[in-house]
Amino acid sequence: MSAPQAAAGLSAQAQPVAAPLTRVAIFLVATLNAGVDSRATVRSFCGDLDALVRAVEFRDLEGGLSCVMGFGSDAWDRLFGPPRPAELHPFREIRAGARHAVSTPGDLLFHIRAKRMDLCFELATQFMARIGHAVSSVDEVHGFRYFDDRDLIGFVDGTENPRGAAATDAVLVGDEDAAFAGGSYVIVQKYLHDLCAWNALSTEAQERIIGRTKLPDIELDDSVKPTSAHNALTTIVENGKEIKILRDNMPFGRAAHGEFGTYFIGYSRSPRTTEQMLENMFIGRPHGNYDRLLDFSRAVTGSLFFVPSVTFLEAVTEDQPAVADSPDAAAATKPSPSIPSEREGSLGIGSLKGDIRHE
């Protein structure tokens, strides 16, 4: 059975990609186990996703609970078969000297958001009760808002996110891929920070790396902002127009283990926008003019997913597509080949920021 066809145009109901930002989130990435039963379980789950969210949400209607479910390239073939979203592909690993944007396993992504962690945790628990025997968890991160929407490196995160209609236009597929209109592409990366080295820098040095002032969160003037500044390299302009993505990054960490990080999640209408940001960061624009933030932060995960519309998910049945598990099925869980050294780099994190009010 081929992938269910969503209604053409933006009449398809989108998943809550652009839902209001919340105080906490769980990012859960899993791989799909081999076998017909595993595929049938996940396919059956697709149509029940909204009902499970509503059931948990009802415990606190003011809790802002929402969930976005995405699928990796190989999982799409195994679960749905053709047709495929036009730009869905494995995350592209990039190397540039000591900088490395790794590609790590990921067939399913759950981005669960709420004002309360207990709501997120309960929903994740219900999900795994339903599909836990069909998938293997490879990463789970519990994120939180840090004071006035700052990253653990001390800067406000997400200042330049688009809002309202601009956000919808930035993240939702339209007529360019009508069968999957209302869908979105999402790239996730987990970054770990060397806070000891970062905090040894002066505030002025940190500001020049980020491209904004630290306390008031004002963008530096171009006359003093280095071309290698984080926000300079993650600004993408095509035909005189800035192309935006929507970030909902969150800090995470384990203080006793010395773990301090940022979970980057960037939604976009085309993955090419985020990929160009990452390339600028890791390779440089021009080559070698890379993001100095990467001297203090390293990516330890990297995956690309497609988020189909609710309309698509509700049309999925338990019937299997004509794509069977093959001896190479597990290959999709392996990192994709690196981009050759001539293009060494990594998918940039946009701005390591994730609030609609901040960059």
Side-chain angles (χ1 to χ4, degrees):
M1 178 180 176
S2 62
Q5 294 294 305
L10 287 177
S11 58
Q13 179 186 350
Q15 291 194 58
V17 170
L21 302 183
T22 55
R23 300 303 304 174
V24 294
I26 290 179
F27 306 93
L28 179 59
V29 176
T31 53
L32 177 63
N33 294 340
V36 172
D37 289 345
S38 294
R39 298 198 302 273
T41 295
V42 174
R43 285 177 61 89
S44 175
F45 175 83
C46 289
D48 295 337
L49 176 65
D50 262 8
L52 282 170
V53 174
R54 288 195 301 270
V56 177
E57 176 191 34
F58 194 73
R59 300 186 181 191
D60 181 359
L61 293 176
E62 303 300 320
L65 179 66
S66 69
C67 177
V68 170
M69 182 181 186
F71 301 88
S73 179
D74 177 68
W76 188 278
D77 292 337
R78 295 170 63 196
L79 289 169
F80 309 125
R84 290 167 49 87
E87 297 188 80
L88 180 59
H89 57 260
F91 183 93
R92 292 167 178 161
E93 177 185 19
I94 308 175
R95 294 177 179 268
R99 301 177 301 283
H100 185 196
V102 298
S103 177
T104 51
D107 289 332
L108 302 176
L109 167 70
F110 294 101
H111 179 199
I112 305 172
R113 291 176 274 191
K115 296 177 182 178
R116 297 167 44 181
M117 180 55 76
D118 56 346
L119 290 172
C120 294
F121 188 82
E122 176 64 18
L123 187 57
T125 300
Q126 293 295 332
F127 286 173
M128 295 312 293
R130 279 286 305 274
I131 66 171
H133 64 284
V135 303
S136 298
S137 175
V138 294
D139 193 33
E140 179 176 342
V141 173
H142 294 205
F144 55 89
R145 294 286 170 206
Y146 190 58
F147 294 110
D148 52 337
D149 297 321
R150 293 181 183 269
D151 195 281
L152 295 182
I153 62 175
F155 284 77
V156 175
D157 200 351
T159 304
E160 297 301 326
N161 266 348
R163 310 179 194 186
T168 299
D169 183 65
V171 301
L172 296 186
V173 173
D175 292 340
E176 69 273 16
D177 192 9
F180 296 102
S184 184
Y185 294 90
V186 58
I187 285 176
V188 298
Q189 292 177 294
K190 184 163 70 173
Y191 284 82
L192 297 180
H193 309 310
D194 183 348
L195 283 192
C196 288
W198 176 257
N199 290 332
L201 298 177
S202 67
T203 298
E204 292 75 15
Q206 292 178 356
E207 292 175 339
R208 288 173 61 82
I209 289 173
I210 299 300
R212 305 186 73 90
T213 55
K214 191 169 186 178
L215 183 60
D217 184 40
I218 303 300
E219 184 172 359
L220 297 183
D221 188 88
D222 288 343
S223 63
V224 298
K225 180 170 62 178
T227 57
S228 63
H230 180 72
N231 63 358
L233 292 174
T234 56
T235 298
I236 306 299
V237 178
E238 295 180 2
N239 300 319
K241 178 183 178 181
E242 183 176 353
I243 308 301
K244 296 277 192 175
I245 69 170
L246 184 67
R247 307 169 179 89
D248 197 359
N249 304 349
M250 278 198 168
F252 68 91
R254 296 182 299 167
H257 292 78
E259 179 183 271
F260 306 94
T262 295
Y263 199 95
F264 166 72
I265 181 165
Y267 292 98
S268 58
R269 187 169 183 161
S270 165
R272 289 178 286 111
T273 304
T274 311
E275 289 171 341
Q276 185 62 62
M277 291 179 176
L278 296 172
E279 198 168 292
N280 291 348
M281 289 176 61
F282 284 76
I283 298 174
R285 185 178 65 189
H287 192 286
N289 189 51
Y290 69 91
D291 187 347
R292 269 48 180 185
L293 182 58
L294 297 177
D295 291 340
F296 306 90
S297 300
R298 61 187 178 92
V300 294
T301 69
S303 301
L304 166 65
F305 304 90
F306 182 73
V307 176
S309 67
V310 173
T311 309
F312 178 98
L313 292 177
E314 291 182 343
V316 175
T317 67
E318 291 187 33
D319 296 335
Q320 296 296 301
V323 179
D325 288 309
S326 70
D328 297 326
T333 66
K334 298 178 181 178
S336 58
S338 299
I339 292 178
S341 57
E342 289 77 7
R343 288 179 52 77
E344 287 179 335
S346 166
L347 308 177
I349 337 176
S351 68
L352 277 180
K353 307 179 175 171
D355 190 301
I356 283 187
R357 294 171 297 159
H358 313 291
E359 174 177 354

